[in-house]
Amino acid sequence: MTTPLFRLVRWLVLPLTVLLFLQWPLRDAVQAGSREANDLAQILFALYAACAITAASRAHQHLAAHGSRRFHPGSPAAAWALAVCLVPWAGWLLWSASPAVWQSALALERFPDSNNPGYFLIKIAAWLMAALVLIDALAALATTRRAS
Amino acid sequence: MSSAGLWMLATLAVLVIATGLPAWALLIGTSSLFGLAGVLTGQVDPALLGALPGRLVGLLENDLLQALPLYAFIGLLLQRLTMARNLHALLTRAARRTGAAPALATLGVAALVAPMNGSVAASASMLTRLVGPRLGGVAPARALALMSASAALGVVVPPSLVLLLLGDAMLNAHTEAVRLPWFAGTDTARIVNTQDILRAALVPALLVLAGWALVAWRQARTGADDAPTLSRGARLEALAVIAAVALLVTAVFTGVVRAVEAAATAGCLAVAWALVSRELKGHDWRELLSDSLSLSGALFALLVGATTFSLVFRAWGTDQWLGQLAADSPLGHHATAALLLGFVGLCAPVLDAFEMIFVVVPILAPPLIAHLGDARQAAVLLLLVLQLGFLLPPLGYAVLMTRALSGLAPMSLGSLVRGLAPYLAVPLLVLVAAFGWPALVHLLDGPGANAAAAAPALPEDEVERLMREMAPAPDPVAPQQPQ
């Protein structure tokens, strides 16, 4: 379900790299636009990072020690253990962050330092991160139940 | 129950080792368990846990963390281009008369490329793929030790991501430390920044590199080196990489460009080269971008887990309890600082560099700085302890990663220890030197880096007289504020 999202989001690292580079000539040569480039890069980074955690889960890329074979990636035991760890946390985040995120989105909140638009997207990204983690943990559980 | 945070750490360590589940999920699971227990027993204020969304938004709007996907992307791109391979071949040719050319070239590639790799894991992945097949003449344990050490080089070589993040963490820790009434030093004139940490780490990093080059030469001498042949184009490409890295690192150290911008410049150059040379096809690009997304996610997840963990740890009051223990220590400043570093060393084999920087450093760095009285020295000592922790067999993170990725034949713990021992001795010696002789980290201090520390010390009665003259109504207990 989320794969098309990840296919789209993975490209964001390219404009992010260019924007981080551009800050240097914009600041020292053009002497304008550096702050805007930084804020835009920040929005891209927030959306990228929010999706990246679940993309890493799907690719079994999260860092782990070599432990019990019972919890190998994709096993029912691992799916249950991860759900126990992540579902309450993601649920708490979604519940406690929703009012602030909603207010920020309604007000189209701007970056506090530069007054550039788009800061609300960073708060939405935090909410999106928790939502994706929750959906992924529950989907992994559903998959193991169907398989068994 | 202020010590509950230590039980959190112990629970986490056991779960990480026993289950093999992703560390970020275990950080969050352990935090949730102790957070819930704290709320139910009335030990933790639920309102404190409500700060979590704000802290996570803080991660997403952190300027420095923008560099995380960038570093991951560059590291993975370099694995796919011929640049690193040509660089290794060129350095092997350059060192062909030493008798240990492939090993020395491995360290050379690591020193040039490791700063741009996002993590020890990324460095281990690149080096095992690139160098592993070229170390056939070296005993497996020694080859593993060399690759592990090379992978851990990025921890201390500026301007690595670990150093940038540590610089940011040390800024906060230094601010906290100078407010402590038992702060031992005069390092209060200016709070350290990332640039200070980069400068402080360079000389110790060069010493570690030189020491490891000596070890690699002694261990890997085979007598006959078959120098690879290099086309003119490949040689020029490798020389261009060396020149570009040298220019960018110089620009960072002279303050012309910020470290993240330098890394982004390197990234743009590497992308431009990949497009011009057509080394990557459409499928390779898609795979590269997907891998970058996953690796960035794996690293960012650790930060999210560590942020949650440190919030609950502080909610239990363990940070203040540890700070008080350090303040009341009867051992004296240096012995207490050594104990604190020992505690960091115990955590290092279990936690990744990013978890260490976001969980352990914010807790232990303020008392460490306060006891040493020198934030730059504390930062360099922490880096060296981290590096040692990554190389401790059998659980050291660099050793684990290299062992898993290298495909080398299984080896006994004894042979692994024998292979790693000389590599461990080098950072240990540099650590002892930086601990006993703090000037080692101040050799490249910028002008005005620490006005108070650089000023000649006045006799105590002279200071008191001057203070009385300057302040008509003295307040002897007023805390010193950072500027």
Side-chain angles (χ1 to χ4, degrees), chain B residues 246-257:
Chain B
L247 272 175
L248 288 172
V249 171
T250 307
V252 169
F253 274 95
T254 51
V256 173
V257 61

Side-chain angles (χ1 to χ4, degrees), chain B residues 298-370:
Chain B
L299 298 175
F300 192 74
L302 288 174
L303 302 186
V304 168
T307 301
T308 309
F309 190 90
S310 63
L311 178 72
V312 178
F313 190 93
R314 285 171 185 266
W316 274 96
T318 311
D319 56 329
Q320 289 180 355
W321 178 73
L322 281 175
Q324 197 55 49
L325 270 185
D328 297 340
S329 168
L331 298 174
H333 287 308
H334 279 85
T336 308
L339 263 183
L340 288 168
L341 285 170
F343 187 77
V344 175
L346 283 178
C347 295
V350 184
L351 301 177
D352 177 64
F354 298 100
E355 294 165 291
M356 292 292 286
I357 289 170
F358 280 80
V359 176
V360 179
V361 168
I363 296 161
L364 294 182
L368 180 66
I369 295 170

Side-chain angles (χ1 to χ4, degrees), chain B residues 102-143:
Chain B
L104 292 174
T106 300
L107 275 174
V109 171
L112 286 165
V113 177
M116 281 183 284
N117 271 324
S119 66
V120 171
S123 291
S125 171
M126 189 195 78
L127 288 167
T128 49
R129 197 186 290 192
L130 171 71
V131 175
R134 292 168 177 77
L135 290 175
V138 182
R142 290 182 168 186

Side-chain angles (χ1 to χ4, degrees), chain A residues 111-138:
Chain A
F111 280 87
D113 297 336
S114 60
N115 205 34
N116 287 325
Y119 184 71
F120 67 96
L121 289 170
I122 291 178
K123 289 195 172 171
I124 288 177
W127 197 90
L128 175 67
M129 177 181 71
L132 287 174
V133 168
L134 182 69
I135 291 169
D136 187 57
L138 293 176

Side-chain angles (χ1 to χ4, degrees), chain A residues 10-11 13 17 20-21 27 38 42 45 48 52 56 61-66 68 71 81-82 85 89 93 96 119 126, chain B residues 18-20 23-25 28 53 56 60-63 65-66 258 261 264-265 286 289-290 292-294 297 304 308 397:
Chain A
R10 66 186 177 182
W11 291 94
V13 73
T17 304
L20 290 177
F21 158 67
R27 187 184 62 246
N38 185 270
Q42 202 68 61
F45 165 71
Y48 186 86
Q61 280 288 310
H62 285 297
L63 301 177
H66 297 287
S68 157
F71 293 104
L82 290 175
C85 288
W89 172 84
L93 260 182
S96 61
Y119 184 71
Chain B
T19 66
W24 84 284
I28 286 174
L56 296 183
L60 293 173
E61 62 176 327
N62 185 316
D63 269 351
L65 291 182
Q66 287 178 17
R258 293 172 189 160
E261 294 164 355
T265 307
R286 285 192 290 277
L289 294 172
S290 292
S292 300
L293 183 68
S294 306
V304 168
T308 309
Y397 192 70

Side-chain angles (χ1 to χ4, degrees), chain A residues 1-90:
Chain A
M1 179 175 60
T2 47
T3 306
L5 175 68
F6 299 146
R7 280 190 193 142
L8 184 69
V9 166
R10 66 186 177 182
W11 291 94
L12 292 182
V13 73
L14 294 176
L16 177 66
T17 304
V18 173
L19 283 168
L20 290 177
F21 158 67
L22 282 178
Q23 286 179 50
W24 175 21
L26 285 174
R27 187 184 62 246
D28 288 349
V30 183
Q31 296 184 344
S34 174
R35 192 67 234 181
E36 283 70 22
N38 185 270
D39 288 345
L40 183 54
Q42 202 68 61
I43 293 170
L44 295 185
F45 165 71
L47 294 171
Y48 186 86
C51 298
I53 291 181
T54 303
S57 302
R58 290 287 170 93
H60 302 301
Q61 280 288 310
H62 285 297
L63 301 177
H66 297 287
S68 157
R69 290 187 61 186
R70 184 179 165 79
F71 293 104
H72 69 84
S75 67
W80 275 103
L82 290 175
V84 167
C85 288
L86 298 175
V87 168
W89 172 84

